Amino acid sequence: GAVVSQHPSWVICKSGTSVKIECRSLDFQATTMFWYRQFPKQSLMLMATSNEGSKATYEQGVEKDKFLINHASLTLSTLTVTSAHPEDSSFYICSARGPFKLAGWTDTQYFGPGTRLTVL
Amino acid sequence: DAKTTQPTSMDCAEGRAANLPCNHSTISGNEYVYWYRQIHSQGPQYIIHGLKNNETNEMASLIITEDRKSSTLILPHATLRDTAVYYCIVLLMNTGFQKLVFGTGTRLLVSP
């Protein structure tokens, strides 16, 4: 249980285009999902927290108009990188807050496999 | 900022136990200790968590000192597939949404 998927696993796009990344909780409902970014040889950095049916909460320094997050259902959150540039090239990872019972009644987060974005 | 301190890297021979230490000297009474690992180019994988008592599951054991200022993750019989970056994170529970703050972690290399 508690499987999180991401699609696509990798994407290459031209500068100026927009890219959408999907994050799905496959066998549980997730009211809260998180989006992280990881540059080479660095740790994960939280970009935003997404709650189903409401606006995402962005971390300081993350442009909300550039990284659009939609959490329209309890099993799907999407991250759209708008007008992507080479500096947006990174590894994007989502996570979902797991079901309390499965996680031993705690707020364990379960992560997707990540999406590698390369902007040319 | 991460509230934990971990060694940058460790080596372990295949089949031996890997003991990964973590210092969290400023941990408060209602903060849990979580361990995740990240294999190269994958998303982090949850391993184990605990509050006060030692914990064991099918992946690992977590030993927390009595004063809770440090802990050790134990992989009893390390395999080559356990090569990864291991993150120790303290997390305050029961206060709404929880933000995982990843530090630099420990890069564990398991060798034949």
Side-chain angles (χ1 to χ4, degrees):
Chain A
V3 178
V4 176
S5 71
Q6 280 184 243
H7 178 81
S9 55
W10 59 270
V11 57
I12 302 173
C13 70
K14 293 182 178 179
S15 184
T17 61
S18 295
V19 175
K20 179 185 284 188
I21 302 170
E22 293 185 349
C23 177
R24 294 180 184 273
S25 56
L26 296 185
D27 50 2
F28 66 101
Q29 293 182 332
T31 55
T32 305
M33 290 184 172
F34 305 84
W35 286 96
Y36 295 81
R37 180 168 54 183
Q38 185 176 34
F39 292 107
K41 299 189 183 302
Q42 294 186 21
S43 191
L44 283 78
M45 295 297 295
L46 180 66
M47 298 175 66
T49 302
S50 165
N51 289 297
E52 186 264 339
S54 63
K55 291 183 178 181
T57 301
Y58 291 82
E59 294 298 301
Q60 191 173 7
V62 178
E63 300 175 57
K64 62 179 181 180
D65 294 330
K66 182 171 183 60
F67 299 99
L68 302 179
I69 293 173
N70 184 283
H71 193 161
S73 79
L74 289 173
T75 59
L76 174 64
S77 177
T78 60
L79 167 68
T80 301
V81 183
T82 62
S83 186
H85 292 284
E87 57 266 29
D88 299 322
S89 297
S90 187
F91 192 49
Y92 292 87
I93 310 169
C94 72
S95 72
R97 180 186 288 170
F100 268 21
K101 185 175 182 181
L102 181 66
W105 308 106
T106 64
D107 280 324
T108 299
Q109 290 184 30
Y110 296 92
F111 286 80
T115 297
R116 186 160 302 282
L117 170 64
T118 301
V119 184
L120 302 177
Chain B
D1 293 337
K3 296 175 62 176
T4 62
T5 304
Q6 299 176 252
T8 303
S9 63
M10 294 183 66
D11 294 326
C12 179
E14 188 179 21
R16 306 297 288 263
N19 299 305
L20 290 87
C22 179
N23 286 325
H24 30 80
S25 58
T26 61
I27 193 170
S28 61
N30 52 357
E31 286 184 314
Y32 283 69
V33 179
Y34 269 75
W35 284 84
Y36 283 82
R37 73 179 182 183
Q38 186 178 24
I39 296 170
H40 182 63
S41 294
Q42 297 182 24
Q45 177 188 23
Y46 164 75
I47 300 174
I48 199 168
H49 72 276
L51 182 63
K52 295 180 182 179
N53 300 321
N54 298 336
E55 302 287 345
T56 295
N57 62 20
E58 64 278 5
M59 290 183 67
S61 294
L62 174 60
I63 308 299
I64 302 174
T65 58
E66 193 169 343
D67 63 8
R68 301 208 327 121
K69 292 185 177 182
S70 65
S71 61
T72 301
L73 179 74
I74 300 173
L75 307 178
H77 305 286
T79 70
L80 299 180
R81 287 175 293 182
D82 292 322
T83 292
V85 178
Y86 287 77
Y87 296 98
C88 169
I89 302 168
V90 295
L91 198 60
L92 186 64
M93 305 304 296
N94 302 321
T95 58
F97 104 84
Q98 302 299 319
K99 185 192 301 188
L100 287 177
V101 179
F102 285 83
T104 54
T106 295
R107 187 173 298 276
L108 175 68
L109 175 62
V110 181
S111 303

Short mmCIF file of all heavy atoms in Angstrom, two decimals, chain A residues 32 34 36 38 42-44 46 49 59 91 93 97 103 106-114 116, chain B residues 32 34 36 38 41-46 49 87 91 93-94 96-100 102-104 107:
data_model
loop_
_atom_site.label_atom_id
_atom_site.label_comp_id
_atom_site.label_asym_id
_atom_site.label_seq_id
_atom_site.Cartn_x
_atom_site.Cartn_y
_atom_site.Cartn_z
N THR A 32 -3.35 15.82 1.27
CA THR A 32 -2.20 16.73 1.17
C THR A 32 -1.09 16.09 0.36
O THR A 32 -0.72 14.95 0.63
CB THR A 32 -1.66 17.10 2.55
OG1 THR A 32 -2.72 17.65 3.35
CG2 THR A 32 -0.54 18.13 2.44
N PHE A 34 2.80 17.09 -1.60
CA PHE A 34 3.91 18.02 -1.53
C PHE A 34 4.73 17.92 -2.82
O PHE A 34 4.87 16.84 -3.39
CB PHE A 34 4.82 17.70 -0.34
CG PHE A 34 4.10 17.65 0.99
CD1 PHE A 34 3.45 16.49 1.40
CD2 PHE A 34 4.09 18.75 1.82
CE1 PHE A 34 2.80 16.44 2.62
CE2 PHE A 34 3.44 18.70 3.05
CZ PHE A 34 2.79 17.55 3.44
N TYR A 36 8.58 18.72 -4.36
CA TYR A 36 9.97 19.01 -4.04
C TYR A 36 10.76 19.17 -5.35
O TYR A 36 10.38 18.66 -6.40
CB TYR A 36 10.60 17.87 -3.24
CG TYR A 36 10.01 17.64 -1.87
CD1 TYR A 36 8.82 16.93 -1.70
CD2 TYR A 36 10.66 18.10 -0.73
CE1 TYR A 36 8.29 16.71 -0.45
CE2 TYR A 36 10.14 17.87 0.54
CZ TYR A 36 8.96 17.17 0.66
OH TYR A 36 8.44 16.95 1.92
N GLN A 38 14.96 18.88 -6.65
CA GLN A 38 16.30 18.45 -6.26
C GLN A 38 17.27 18.68 -7.40
O GLN A 38 17.14 18.10 -8.48
CB GLN A 38 16.29 16.97 -5.86
CG GLN A 38 17.62 16.48 -5.32
CD GLN A 38 17.54 15.04 -4.84
OE1 GLN A 38 16.80 14.23 -5.41
NE2 GLN A 38 18.28 14.70 -3.80
N GLN A 42 22.48 17.75 -4.58
CA GLN A 42 21.90 18.52 -3.49
C GLN A 42 20.74 17.74 -2.87
O GLN A 42 20.28 16.74 -3.42
CB GLN A 42 21.42 19.89 -3.99
CG GLN A 42 22.53 20.80 -4.46
CD GLN A 42 22.03 22.19 -4.81
OE1 GLN A 42 20.96 22.61 -4.36
NE2 GLN A 42 22.79 22.90 -5.61
N SER A 43 20.29 18.22 -1.74
CA SER A 43 19.18 17.58 -1.06
C SER A 43 17.84 18.07 -1.63
O SER A 43 17.80 18.98 -2.45
CB SER A 43 19.25 17.87 0.43
OG SER A 43 18.35 17.06 1.13
N LEU A 44 16.77 17.45 -1.19
CA LEU A 44 15.45 17.85 -1.63
C LEU A 44 15.05 19.17 -0.98
O LEU A 44 15.28 19.38 0.20
CB LEU A 44 14.39 16.81 -1.26
CG LEU A 44 14.30 15.54 -2.09
CD1 LEU A 44 15.41 14.57 -1.69
CD2 LEU A 44 12.94 14.89 -1.91
N LEU A 46 11.64 21.59 -0.47
CA LEU A 46 10.19 21.69 -0.62
C LEU A 46 9.84 22.94 -1.40
O LEU A 46 10.31 24.03 -1.09
CB LEU A 46 9.53 21.71 0.76
CG LEU A 46 8.02 21.82 0.78
CD1 LEU A 46 7.38 20.56 0.19
CD2 LEU A 46 7.51 22.04 2.21
N THR A 49 3.11 23.03 -0.81
CA THR A 49 2.19 22.07 -0.21
C THR A 49 0.84 22.25 -0.85
O THR A 49 0.33 23.38 -0.96
CB THR A 49 2.08 22.30 1.30
OG1 THR A 49 3.39 22.18 1.87
CG2 THR A 49 1.15 21.29 1.94
N GLU A 59 6.58 27.73 -0.75
CA GLU A 59 7.70 28.09 0.11
C GLU A 59 8.30 29.41 -0.37
O GLU A 59 8.15 29.81 -1.53
CB GLU A 59 8.75 26.99 0.10
CG GLU A 59 8.28 25.69 0.72
CD GLU A 59 7.92 25.83 2.17
OE1 GLU A 59 8.80 26.22 2.97
OE2 GLU A 59 6.76 25.54 2.53
N PHE A 91 15.22 17.69 -10.91
CA PHE A 91 14.48 16.47 -10.57
C PHE A 91 13.32 16.88 -9.68
O PHE A 91 13.54 17.42 -8.59
CB PHE A 91 15.43 15.50 -9.85
CG PHE A 91 14.91 14.10 -9.70
CD1 PHE A 91 14.38 13.41 -10.77
CD2 PHE A 91 15.00 13.44 -8.47
CE1 PHE A 91 13.94 12.09 -10.63
CE2 PHE A 91 14.56 12.13 -8.33
CZ PHE A 91 14.03 11.46 -9.41
N ILE A 93 10.01 15.95 -7.51
CA ILE A 93 9.49 14.80 -6.77
C ILE A 93 8.25 15.22 -5.99
O ILE A 93 8.24 16.27 -5.36
CB ILE A 93 10.53 14.25 -5.77
CG1 ILE A 93 11.88 14.03 -6.46
CG2 ILE A 93 10.05 12.96 -5.14
CD1 ILE A 93 13.02 13.76 -5.50
N ARG A 97 0.79 12.65 1.77
CA ARG A 97 0.63 12.25 3.16
C ARG A 97 -0.18 10.96 3.20
O ARG A 97 -1.29 10.91 2.68
CB ARG A 97 -0.08 13.34 3.96
CG ARG A 97 -0.26 12.97 5.43
CD ARG A 97 -1.08 13.99 6.14
NE ARG A 97 -0.36 15.22 6.34
CZ ARG A 97 -0.92 16.35 6.78
NH1 ARG A 97 -2.20 16.39 7.00
NH2 ARG A 97 -0.19 17.42 6.95
N ALA A 103 -0.06 4.14 8.02
CA ALA A 103 1.19 4.72 8.50
C ALA A 103 1.28 4.67 10.02
O ALA A 103 2.05 5.42 10.59
CB ALA A 103 1.30 6.15 8.01
N THR A 106 0.27 8.01 11.93
CA THR A 106 1.18 9.16 11.91
C THR A 106 1.16 9.77 10.52
O THR A 106 0.58 9.23 9.58
CB THR A 106 2.63 8.75 12.24
OG1 THR A 106 3.11 7.87 11.21
CG2 THR A 106 2.72 8.06 13.57
N ASP A 107 1.81 10.91 10.39
CA ASP A 107 1.79 11.67 9.14
C ASP A 107 2.94 11.31 8.22
O ASP A 107 3.63 12.16 7.71
CB ASP A 107 1.87 13.18 9.45
CG ASP A 107 0.52 13.73 9.85
OD1 ASP A 107 -0.48 13.24 9.29
OD2 ASP A 107 0.47 14.61 10.72
N THR A 108 3.16 10.04 8.02
CA THR A 108 4.24 9.61 7.13
C THR A 108 3.95 10.03 5.69
O THR A 108 2.84 9.88 5.21
CB THR A 108 4.42 8.09 7.19
OG1 THR A 108 4.74 7.73 8.53
CG2 THR A 108 5.52 7.63 6.26
N GLN A 109 4.95 10.57 5.03
CA GLN A 109 4.82 10.93 3.62
C GLN A 109 5.42 9.83 2.76
O GLN A 109 6.45 9.25 3.08
CB GLN A 109 5.56 12.24 3.33
CG GLN A 109 4.90 13.47 3.94
CD GLN A 109 5.61 14.74 3.53
OE1 GLN A 109 6.20 14.84 2.45
NE2 GLN A 109 5.56 15.74 4.41
N TYR A 110 4.74 9.58 1.65
CA TYR A 110 5.21 8.59 0.69
C TYR A 110 5.52 9.30 -0.62
O TYR A 110 4.74 10.11 -1.10
CB TYR A 110 4.16 7.49 0.49
CG TYR A 110 3.91 6.71 1.76
CD1 TYR A 110 2.91 7.09 2.65
CD2 TYR A 110 4.71 5.63 2.10
CE1 TYR A 110 2.70 6.40 3.83
CE2 TYR A 110 4.51 4.92 3.27
CZ TYR A 110 3.50 5.32 4.15
OH TYR A 110 3.31 4.63 5.31
N PHE A 111 6.68 8.98 -1.19
CA PHE A 111 7.19 9.74 -2.32
C PHE A 111 6.98 9.03 -3.65
O PHE A 111 7.01 7.79 -3.72
CB PHE A 111 8.69 10.01 -2.13
CG PHE A 111 8.97 11.05 -1.09
CD1 PHE A 111 8.96 10.74 0.25
CD2 PHE A 111 9.24 12.36 -1.47
CE1 PHE A 111 9.21 11.70 1.21
CE2 PHE A 111 9.50 13.33 -0.52
CZ PHE A 111 9.49 13.00 0.82
N GLY A 112 6.82 9.83 -4.68
CA GLY A 112 6.81 9.30 -6.03
C GLY A 112 8.23 9.06 -6.51
O GLY A 112 9.19 9.43 -5.84
N PRO A 113 8.36 8.46 -7.70
CA PRO A 113 9.69 8.12 -8.22
C PRO A 113 10.44 9.31 -8.81
O PRO A 113 11.63 9.20 -9.08
CB PRO A 113 9.38 7.10 -9.31
CG PRO A 113 8.00 7.44 -9.76
CD PRO A 113 7.28 7.93 -8.53
N GLY A 114 9.77 10.44 -8.98
CA GLY A 114 10.43 11.63 -9.50
C GLY A 114 10.28 11.80 -11.00
O GLY A 114 10.04 10.83 -11.73
N ARG A 116 12.39 13.79 -14.12
CA ARG A 116 13.58 14.57 -14.48
C ARG A 116 13.23 15.47 -15.66
O ARG A 116 12.86 14.99 -16.73
CB ARG A 116 14.74 13.65 -14.86
CG ARG A 116 16.04 14.43 -15.10
CD ARG A 116 17.27 13.56 -15.00
NE ARG A 116 17.40 12.90 -13.72
CZ ARG A 116 17.83 13.47 -12.61
NH1 ARG A 116 18.14 14.74 -12.61
NH2 ARG A 116 17.94 12.75 -11.50
N TYR B 32 9.08 13.30 16.50
CA TYR B 32 9.45 11.97 16.10
C TYR B 32 10.76 12.02 15.31
O TYR B 32 11.10 13.03 14.69
CB TYR B 32 8.37 11.36 15.20
CG TYR B 32 7.14 10.87 15.94
CD1 TYR B 32 6.27 11.77 16.54
CD2 TYR B 32 6.85 9.51 16.01
CE1 TYR B 32 5.13 11.32 17.21
CE2 TYR B 32 5.72 9.06 16.67
CZ TYR B 32 4.87 9.96 17.26
OH TYR B 32 3.76 9.51 17.92
N TYR B 34 12.36 10.35 12.05
CA TYR B 34 12.03 9.64 10.83
C TYR B 34 13.31 9.34 10.04
O TYR B 34 14.26 10.13 10.06
CB TYR B 34 11.13 10.50 9.93
CG TYR B 34 9.66 10.31 10.16
CD1 TYR B 34 9.03 10.85 11.28
CD2 TYR B 34 8.88 9.61 9.25
CE1 TYR B 34 7.67 10.68 11.49
CE2 TYR B 34 7.52 9.44 9.44
CZ TYR B 34 6.92 9.98 10.56
OH TYR B 34 5.58 9.80 10.77
N TYR B 36 14.41 8.24 6.07
CA TYR B 36 14.11 7.97 4.67
C TYR B 36 15.44 7.66 3.97
O TYR B 36 16.51 8.03 4.47
CB TYR B 36 13.49 9.19 3.99
CG TYR B 36 12.04 9.43 4.31
CD1 TYR B 36 11.67 10.09 5.48
CD2 TYR B 36 11.03 9.04 3.43
CE1 TYR B 36 10.33 10.34 5.77
CE2 TYR B 36 9.70 9.28 3.71
CZ TYR B 36 9.36 9.93 4.87
OH TYR B 36 8.02 10.17 5.15
N GLN B 38 17.25 7.55 -0.18
CA GLN B 38 17.07 7.88 -1.57
C GLN B 38 18.14 7.18 -2.39
O GLN B 38 19.33 7.50 -2.27
CB GLN B 38 17.12 9.39 -1.81
CG GLN B 38 16.78 9.78 -3.24
CD GLN B 38 16.78 11.27 -3.47
OE1 GLN B 38 17.44 12.03 -2.75
NE2 GLN B 38 16.03 11.73 -4.48
N SER B 41 18.67 8.74 -8.29
CA SER B 41 17.68 9.07 -9.31
C SER B 41 16.29 8.50 -9.02
O SER B 41 15.51 8.25 -9.95
CB SER B 41 18.15 8.60 -10.69
OG SER B 41 19.29 9.32 -11.09
N GLN B 42 15.99 8.27 -7.75
CA GLN B 42 14.65 7.84 -7.38
C GLN B 42 14.11 8.76 -6.29
O GLN B 42 14.83 9.55 -5.71
CB GLN B 42 14.68 6.39 -6.85
CG GLN B 42 15.11 5.37 -7.88
CD GLN B 42 15.06 3.95 -7.32
OE1 GLN B 42 14.32 3.66 -6.39
NE2 GLN B 42 15.84 3.06 -7.92
N GLY B 43 12.81 8.65 -6.02
CA GLY B 43 12.24 9.40 -4.93
C GLY B 43 12.60 8.77 -3.59
O GLY B 43 12.93 7.58 -3.53
N PRO B 44 12.58 9.53 -2.52
CA PRO B 44 12.90 8.97 -1.20
C PRO B 44 11.93 7.85 -0.81
O PRO B 44 10.77 7.86 -1.19
CB PRO B 44 12.74 10.18 -0.26
CG PRO B 44 12.96 11.36 -1.14
CD PRO B 44 12.37 10.98 -2.46
N GLN B 45 12.45 6.93 -0.05
CA GLN B 45 11.69 5.79 0.43
C GLN B 45 11.61 5.83 1.93
O GLN B 45 12.65 5.96 2.61
CB GLN B 45 12.35 4.48 -0.04
CG GLN B 45 11.66 3.22 0.46
CD GLN B 45 12.46 1.97 0.14
OE1 GLN B 45 13.67 2.01 -0.07
NE2 GLN B 45 11.78 0.83 0.09
N TYR B 46 10.42 5.74 2.47
CA TYR B 46 10.25 5.71 3.92
C TYR B 46 10.85 4.43 4.48
O TYR B 46 10.67 3.34 3.92
CB TYR B 46 8.76 5.78 4.27
CG TYR B 46 8.42 5.39 5.69
CD1 TYR B 46 8.69 6.25 6.74
CD2 TYR B 46 7.86 4.15 5.96
CE1 TYR B 46 8.38 5.88 8.04
CE2 TYR B 46 7.56 3.77 7.25
CZ TYR B 46 7.83 4.65 8.30
OH TYR B 46 7.53 4.27 9.58
N HIS B 49 10.23 5.06 11.65
CA HIS B 49 10.19 6.22 12.52
C HIS B 49 9.94 5.78 13.96
O HIS B 49 9.47 4.66 14.20
CB HIS B 49 9.12 7.23 12.07
CG HIS B 49 7.71 6.78 12.32
ND1 HIS B 49 7.03 5.96 11.44
CD2 HIS B 49 6.86 7.04 13.33
CE1 HIS B 49 5.81 5.74 11.90
NE2 HIS B 49 5.68 6.37 13.07
N TYR B 87 18.52 9.75 5.07
CA TYR B 87 18.15 11.00 5.72
C TYR B 87 17.48 10.74 7.06
O TYR B 87 16.52 9.97 7.14
CB TYR B 87 17.19 11.81 4.85
CG TYR B 87 17.75 12.26 3.53
CD1 TYR B 87 17.48 11.55 2.36
CD2 TYR B 87 18.54 13.39 3.43
CE1 TYR B 87 17.98 11.97 1.13
CE2 TYR B 87 19.03 13.82 2.22
CZ TYR B 87 18.75 13.10 1.07
OH TYR B 87 19.25 13.52 -0.13
N LEU B 91 10.45 15.39 13.26
CA LEU B 91 9.18 15.88 12.78
C LEU B 91 8.20 16.04 13.93
O LEU B 91 7.98 15.09 14.69
CB LEU B 91 8.62 14.90 11.76
CG LEU B 91 7.52 15.39 10.83
CD1 LEU B 91 7.99 16.56 10.00
CD2 LEU B 91 7.08 14.26 9.92
N MET B 93 4.66 16.18 15.44
CA MET B 93 3.42 15.53 15.04
C MET B 93 2.21 16.26 15.61
O MET B 93 2.29 17.06 16.51
CB MET B 93 3.42 14.08 15.55
CG MET B 93 4.62 13.29 15.10
SD MET B 93 4.83 13.25 13.33
CE MET B 93 3.36 12.40 12.84
N ASN B 94 1.08 15.93 15.04
CA ASN B 94 -0.21 16.35 15.56
C ASN B 94 -0.38 17.85 15.61
O ASN B 94 -0.98 18.40 16.51
CB ASN B 94 -0.43 15.78 16.98
CG ASN B 94 -0.34 14.28 16.99
OD1 ASN B 94 -0.81 13.61 16.07
ND2 ASN B 94 0.28 13.73 18.00
N GLY B 96 -1.16 19.55 12.48
CA GLY B 96 -1.57 19.93 11.13
C GLY B 96 -0.58 19.43 10.11
O GLY B 96 -0.03 18.36 10.25
N PHE B 97 -0.36 20.21 9.07
CA PHE B 97 0.50 19.71 8.02
C PHE B 97 1.95 19.71 8.47
O PHE B 97 2.40 20.59 9.18
CB PHE B 97 0.30 20.51 6.73
CG PHE B 97 1.41 21.49 6.41
CD1 PHE B 97 2.54 21.07 5.75
CD2 PHE B 97 1.29 22.82 6.76
CE1 PHE B 97 3.54 21.97 5.44
CE2 PHE B 97 2.30 23.72 6.46
CZ PHE B 97 3.43 23.30 5.79
N GLN B 98 2.66 18.69 8.07
CA GLN B 98 4.04 18.48 8.48
C GLN B 98 4.98 18.75 7.32
O GLN B 98 4.76 18.28 6.22
CB GLN B 98 4.23 17.04 8.97
CG GLN B 98 3.32 16.68 10.11
CD GLN B 98 3.57 17.54 11.32
OE1 GLN B 98 4.70 17.83 11.66
NE2 GLN B 98 2.51 17.98 11.97
N LYS B 99 6.03 19.49 7.57
CA LYS B 99 7.01 19.80 6.54
C LYS B 99 8.28 19.01 6.80
O LYS B 99 8.92 19.17 7.83
CB LYS B 99 7.32 21.28 6.56
CG LYS B 99 8.24 21.73 5.46
CD LYS B 99 8.76 23.15 5.68
CE LYS B 99 7.68 24.18 5.78
NZ LYS B 99 8.24 25.54 5.80
N LEU B 100 8.61 18.12 5.89
CA LEU B 100 9.87 17.39 5.99
C LEU B 100 11.01 18.29 5.55
O LEU B 100 10.97 18.84 4.46
CB LEU B 100 9.84 16.14 5.11
CG LEU B 100 8.98 14.97 5.55
CD1 LEU B 100 9.02 13.87 4.49
CD2 LEU B 100 9.43 14.41 6.88
N PHE B 102 14.80 18.13 4.64
CA PHE B 102 15.87 17.20 4.35
C PHE B 102 17.21 17.90 4.53
O PHE B 102 17.45 18.96 3.98
CB PHE B 102 15.76 16.69 2.91
CG PHE B 102 14.66 15.69 2.72
CD1 PHE B 102 13.35 16.09 2.51
CD2 PHE B 102 14.92 14.33 2.74
CE1 PHE B 102 12.33 15.17 2.33
CE2 PHE B 102 13.91 13.39 2.56
CZ PHE B 102 12.62 13.82 2.36
N GLY B 103 18.09 17.25 5.30
CA GLY B 103 19.46 17.73 5.40
C GLY B 103 20.28 17.10 4.29
O GLY B 103 19.75 16.70 3.25
N THR B 104 21.56 16.99 4.52
CA THR B 104 22.45 16.43 3.48
C THR B 104 22.52 14.92 3.54
O THR B 104 22.95 14.28 2.60
CB THR B 104 23.85 17.02 3.60
OG1 THR B 104 24.31 16.83 4.94
CG2 THR B 104 23.83 18.51 3.28
N ARG B 107 25.67 9.31 2.87
CA ARG B 107 25.78 8.48 1.67
C ARG B 107 26.40 7.16 2.07
O ARG B 107 27.58 7.10 2.43
CB ARG B 107 26.63 9.19 0.62
CG ARG B 107 26.68 8.47 -0.73
CD ARG B 107 27.40 9.34 -1.76
NE ARG B 107 26.69 10.59 -1.97
CZ ARG B 107 25.67 10.75 -2.80
NH1 ARG B 107 25.24 9.72 -3.52
NH2 ARG B 107 25.08 11.93 -2.94
#
